[in-house]
Amino acid sequence: MPAPRAESAPDFPGVQLHIVTGKGGTGKSTVSAALALALASRGNTVLLCEVEGRQGIAQLFDVPPLPYEERRVARGTTGAGDVYAMAIDAESALLEYLDMYYRLGRAGKALDRFGVVEFATTIAPGVRDVLLTGKVYEAANRNRRNKGAREYDAIVLDAPPTGRISQFLNVNTELAGLAKVGPIKSQADVVMKLLRSSRTAIHLVTVLEEMPVQETGDGIAELRGADLPVGGVIVNMVRPQDLDAAERAALLHGTVDREALVASLEKAGISADDELVDGLLEEGHDHAERRQLEDTQRALVEQLGVPTYELPLMPGGVDLAGLYELAEALCEEGLG
Amino acid sequence: MTPRAATHQSSRATARVGPLVATHEPKQLLDVDALLDDRSRGIIVCCGSGGVGKTTTSAALALRAAERGRKVVVLTIDPARRLAQSMGIEALDNTPRPVPGVKGKGGGSLDAMMLDMKRTFDEVVQSQASPEKAEQILKNPFYIAVSSSFAGTQEYMAMEKLGQLDKDAQHTGRWDLIVVDTPPSRSALDFLDAPERLSSFLDGKFMKLLLAPARGPARLMTAGFGMVTNAITKIIGAQVLQDMKAFVAAFDTLFGGFRQRALRTFELLQDRRTAFVVVAAPEPDALREAAYFVERLRAEQMPLAGLVVNRVSSKPSGDLTAHAAMTGVEQLRTSGEDHGLAAGLLRLHADRLTVVEREKRLTRRFGTSHPDVPTAVLPALSTDVHDLDGLRRIGDLLGAQVDHRPARRRADQAG
């Protein structure tokens, strides 16, 4: 685990928009939620958004499914800010967009009837992504002129997985073949400007396994190639670090002092029969093997040249309490 | 094609399907070898949410089938680089190639290919249209965008490719089993909906709307029509609309063909020759997706072979409870002496038991609501799989779910 930074000052001070991606199964939704809590604990008003219709945030915070509407999911006590959350879907974003910019109240409905909304949000390439990121852009650019709209100090976007992230964020290029001019193109341009600016950081979640680490490296290269600002790498589900190198080596090579182990176990008030000791040694062996693999992968992550953060594996799964613990860990490590 | 409501998120709020009270019948095990040896099964489709080991599972099934004597082709979508290398399919060229190092017994063989979605789409267009028309379509900016980045093209093209491989297999006899890996969709259901989504779009009101002006004064020229075209022009710009119209006009004659193909693919998926294997990991999201998928397959009358739960933590031996282990750790801590190894091992033991307990709870939840789904449970491996030996190991674990060996040998090899 990297040494905790001396001052737990946030590593990304100028960043307002934190985009979190990661390979499927690495826990990017959990990390997004923990990051939102961490940011709020520093007094920020935070918006946490999801765009894939999975309702992952609602499950993590144990609240009913989120609508296309900002709902408060966590309320900070003294000095801390609140976390709001919303599920952004392309259909609602399109209708809102039309209403805001074109005041198409009735025509909007007609569009829906003619299948235009479905077309634009599911078939027209890139349009869906512009709509989703466009809503995030809108939330990031509120000011006092917007009547009654809530201003956010920080926005955390639980984004699509690493394999699709560059395409998702690179709305400009995606649309380029389709719309060279026109309003949708201008919309894409302003969104792109925010995404490429120093107000944005894209974090990648990984676990210490070969494929996710490789995909993280590829993702970083792709993001950089597209001129998108890479933030940090969050290594999730790190195995406990109780056993030291010598102990792990002994477990791997089967050279553990069995008698000493039995004596220790007796001391712990555990009657150490052969079955138990064999079982523990086997678990220890698996663990040591796993740690070896993790160390190899960790070395690769460190070579990626971005700040890294580590979050522990939660054996019982991540419930609300676990989520708060992860948020605390992120704070201590300086992210959020 | 079965008529269905728009593929909107709300459609997922369906009622639970299955028994309403828990039954205590022993859970059915998925007999993988029986599935692979069943010559009447020509297609195995692996599906499940992203990150559950779908690609590895489908490759392992394909290899095992080949080494049990089937002539197999596996269609993968996005394999890990090293796995792809070891299977000899680094080139994304839509061509099935023999996998080196397969010990095919009794005429068994394994070919593998990686899906190139754009090329597949182009081929469909070329097979459906005259050369001039095909060229016109392939050059259209709107087509280029749709064929390379439409959310769902990959799913649709995977199904299209399956149809092609099946036809090829029937014709040439080159393969007798096709194993398909499905794209890493946001939701496991996307791939079932994609063909329908595209064909309903091609068939839909919107297309008719776009074609209407070219066809003269149609009935669609209602009050709503002008408003809608105006709105579209405002939003996407006149140029895009022009490209789209050109695309639709050129594509018009192909609609019939496309719909036909989508329909055939859907029928192929419902055919008894096909078997679906749903893949999951012992995590809430993955199992929830698996449950949706199982229920959906039932609703569509698509043949479900069973569920594979990957990466399950195995229960450690001995009967030391997590609580007792942690009490022991506490005792060692207060002793003031160095018992690092024992304390560490006890903590690992407690963690492992907690994980096992949690995974058991999650899979039991699935099993209770879907008791008749044969299930295979695969232990988590402490190393990654990136070569044929690794795939064989997975294959052995898959095959070992149901024990076909005589009782005596079973006892010999236990442990």
Side-chain angles (χ1 to χ4, degrees):
Chain A
M1 199 157 298
R5 283 143 185 87
E7 248 306 309
S8 59
D11 286 352
F12 297 93
V15 169
Q16 183 194 15
L17 174 57
H18 295 268
I19 297 174
V20 181
T21 181
K23 184 173 156 49
T26 58
K28 77 182 165 61
S29 298
T30 308
V31 172
S32 304
L35 179 57
L37 286 170
L39 289 163
S41 75
R42 294 181 190 283
N44 297 307
T45 302
V46 182
L47 176 65
L48 171 61
C49 317
E50 66 171 35
V51 290
E52 293 189 287
R54 284 189 296 118
Q55 289 294 344
I57 299 174
Q59 274 149 30
L60 279 163
F61 283 93
D62 207 2
V63 295
L66 294 168
Y68 184 81
E69 196 185 292
E70 295 145 47
R71 290 270 164 91
R72 183 161 53 200
V73 291
R75 194 169 188 169
T77 48
T78 42
D82 294 344
V83 177
Y84 292 81
M86 81 179 293
I88 303 177
D89 65 280
E91 292 83 2
S92 311
L94 177 62
L95 292 175
E96 188 189 45
Y97 174 81
L98 293 177
D99 200 49
M100 253 163 102
Y101 291 91
Y102 302 101
R103 309 197 184 285
L104 282 183
R106 224 156 63 83
K109 294 233 164 57
L111 288 176
D112 203 3
R113 210 174 58 237
F114 277 100
V116 177
V117 172
E118 200 200 343
F119 166 78
T121 54
T122 62
I123 313 267
V127 173
R128 178 184 193 88
D129 297 344
V130 179
L131 289 166
L132 298 174
T133 47
K135 176 63 189 173
V136 175
Y137 172 85
E138 184 272 321
N141 283 282
R142 289 180 186 163
N143 52 42
R144 278 181 208 101
R145 281 186 304 142
N146 306 49
K147 291 168 271 176
R150 198 173 296 111
E151 286 177 58
Y152 291 104
D153 304 307
I155 296 174
V156 178
L157 171 62
D158 179 1
T162 319
R164 281 213 310 275
I165 190 67
S166 289
Q167 196 190 32
F168 174 74
L169 296 176
N170 213 350
V171 284
N172 242 345
T173 319
E174 230 187 310
L175 273 178
L178 187 63
K180 293 185 184 68
V181 288
I184 192 103
K185 167 76 176 138
S186 338
Q187 166 82 353
D189 284 343
V190 295
V191 172
M192 211 59 230
K193 211 169 147 197
L194 167 68
L195 295 179
R196 289 219 168 105
S197 75
S198 56
R199 283 167 67 197
T200 301
I202 303 153
H203 308 294
L204 298 96
V205 183
T206 189
V207 291
L208 292 175
E209 283 169 30
E210 196 174 312
M211 258 175 72
V213 167
Q214 180 190 307
E215 231 179 77
T216 304
D218 292 350
I220 290 176
E222 249 184 80
L223 288 169
R224 285 188 176 145
D227 231 349
L228 288 158
V230 176
V233 168
I234 297 131
V235 178
N236 197 16
M237 302 189 231
V238 175
R239 297 279 186 299
Q241 310 284 307
D242 293 328
L243 299 171
D244 64 28
E247 288 163 345
R248 294 200 309 272
L251 284 162
L252 272 179
H253 303 120
T255 54
V256 169
D257 183 346
R258 199 179 167 105
E259 273 170 36
L261 177 61
V262 170
S264 294
L265 289 172
E266 298 289 350
K267 192 122 204 168
I270 292 164
S271 63
D273 58 12
D274 276 352
E275 193 196 0
L276 179 69
V277 176
D278 287 345
L280 288 177
L281 287 175
E282 199 190 318
E283 286 171 60
H285 179 272
D286 285 358
H287 176 76
E289 207 174 14
R290 188 83 222 172
R291 286 275 299 276
Q292 223 172 16
L293 183 84
E294 290 198 348
D295 288 343
T296 319
Q297 296 303 323
R298 182 179 285 109
L300 293 175
V301 170
E302 276 158 14
Q303 282 167 24
L304 294 172
V306 296
T308 61
Y309 308 88
E310 294 202 355
L311 292 173
L313 175 77
M314 302 286 212
V318 179
D319 58 4
L320 207 51
L323 196 58
Y324 280 65
E325 275 175 47
L326 293 179
E328 189 196 358
L330 283 178
C331 267
E332 277 173 13
E333 291 191 59
L335 181 60
Chain B
M1 193 148 304
T2 354
R4 266 196 306 274
T7 56
H8 195 260
Q9 206 47 43
S10 63
S11 64
R12 305 191 91 204
T14 48
R16 206 167 286 287
V17 182
L20 301 180
V21 292
T23 48
H24 289 281
E25 290 160 30
K27 221 163 128 198
Q28 289 187 56
L29 297 172
L30 174 60
D31 192 340
V32 172
D33 286 344
L35 174 69
L36 298 179
D37 292 345
D38 180 357
R39 297 267 163 177
S40 70
R41 300 278 194 182
I43 297 168
I44 295 177
V45 183
C46 294
C47 45
S49 55
V52 295
K54 216 171 13 187
T55 304
T56 311
T57 306
S58 42
L61 286 172
L63 178 62
R64 189 167 180 85
E67 298 195 331
R68 293 176 72 86
R70 303 286 305 260
K71 287 185 278 184
V72 189
V73 58
V74 57
L75 168 59
T76 66
I77 308 294
D78 191 16
R81 204 174 298 150
R82 279 176 69 182
L83 181 62
Q85 273 169 5
S86 66
M87 295 181 77
I89 46 166
E90 279 168 279
L92 182 111
D93 63 356
N94 258 358
T95 314
R97 293 174 198 286
V99 175
V102 175
K103 299 168 193 155
K105 277 183 220 122
S109 65
L110 176 61
D111 291 351
M113 67 166 285
M114 204 147 91
L115 179 74
D116 178 344
M117 74 171 175
K118 171 122 180 55
R119 188 189 290 231
T120 308
F121 211 143
D122 291 355
E123 285 167 4
V124 178
V125 170
Q126 280 158 344
S127 73
Q128 297 283 306
S130 64
E132 305 82 56
K133 197 154 216 176
E135 199 187 342
Q136 202 185 338
I137 293 172
L138 297 186
K139 274 191 186 147
N140 182 289
F142 188 75
Y143 168 79
I144 294 171
V146 167
S147 62
S148 48
S149 66
F150 155 48
T153 307
Q154 209 178 26
E155 284 85 353
Y156 183 48
M157 287 307 132
M159 291 302 99
E160 173 62 39
K161 198 77 214 170
L162 166 63
Q164 289 177 13
L165 286 173
D166 183 54
K167 219 165 143 192
D168 201 3
Q170 306 269 342
H171 260 288
T172 64
R174 187 173 162 198
W175 306 296
D176 58 26
L177 177 65
I178 304 167
V179 179
V180 194
D181 174 23
T182 53
S185 310
R186 165 190 59 99
S187 136
L189 304 179
D190 278 2
F191 107 92
L192 269 187
D193 290 326
E196 162 124 357
R197 201 189 292 161
L198 194 73
S199 89
S200 79
F201 157 65
L202 295 174
D203 225 7
K205 272 187 194 160
F206 184 61
M207 279 297 189
K208 294 204 179 86
L209 182 75
L210 284 178
L211 284 170
R215 285 174 177 166
R219 266 168 306 161
L220 281 164
M221 298 294 278
T222 55
F225 176 72
M227 197 157 66
V228 168
T229 22
N230 274 341
I232 299 173
T233 315
K234 262 195 208 164
I235 304 160
I236 59 175
Q239 174 242 330
V240 183
L241 198 61
Q242 217 41 55
D243 284 345
M244 267 164 56
K245 278 186 181 167
F247 168 72
V248 170
F251 220 78
D252 192 28
T253 49
L254 305 187
F255 289 168
F258 261 76
R259 207 173 316 114
Q260 279 285 310
R261 294 172 88 93
L263 190 65
R264 271 208 305 272
T265 308
F266 213 79
E267 279 169 1
L268 187 62
L269 295 179
Q270 285 174 321
D271 197 282
R272 293 292 118 187
R273 286 197 295 128
T274 302
F276 279 86
V277 172
V278 179
V279 186
E283 291 298 327
D285 288 354
L287 283 167
R288 200 175 306 118
E289 286 296 320
Y292 278 123
F293 210 94
V294 162
E295 291 172 15
R296 178 69 190 279
L297 288 172
R298 291 256 158 87
E300 303 287 358
Q301 297 175 324
M302 290 181 174
L304 170 69
L307 172 77
V308 171
V309 187
N310 275 326
R311 299 190 198 134
V312 175
S313 308
S314 43
K315 191 180 179 306
S317 59
D319 47 14
L320 183 66
T321 65
H323 180 73
M326 285 319 283
T327 312
V329 171
E330 198 47 36
Q331 207 145 330
L332 290 178
R333 199 179 60 80
T334 51
S335 76
E337 302 160 17
D338 179 26
H339 295 287
L341 180 65
L345 289 178
L346 287 171
R347 215 177 333 232
L348 281 179
H349 181 77
D351 277 0
R352 170 88 80 100
L353 284 170
T354 312
V355 171
V356 167
E357 201 40 58
R358 167 168 175 269
E359 292 178 354
K360 213 161 77 190
R361 204 171 56 235
L362 289 167
T363 35
R364 197 166 50 211
R365 192 189 293 167
F366 180 93
T368 306
S369 44
H370 307 90
D372 48 351
V373 178
T375 304
V377 172
L378 259 64
L381 303 177
S382 47
T383 50
D384 287 327
V385 171
H386 38 62
D387 54 17
L388 292 195
D389 282 339
L391 290 179
R392 264 182 210 116
R393 221 170 124 203
I394 305 255
D396 288 344
L397 289 166
L398 280 165
Q401 303 284 322
V402 180
D403 207 329
H404 297 289
R405 294 171 300 169
R408 194 173 51 79
R409 275 189 59 205
R410 212 177 299 168
D412 289 349
Q413 294 186 10

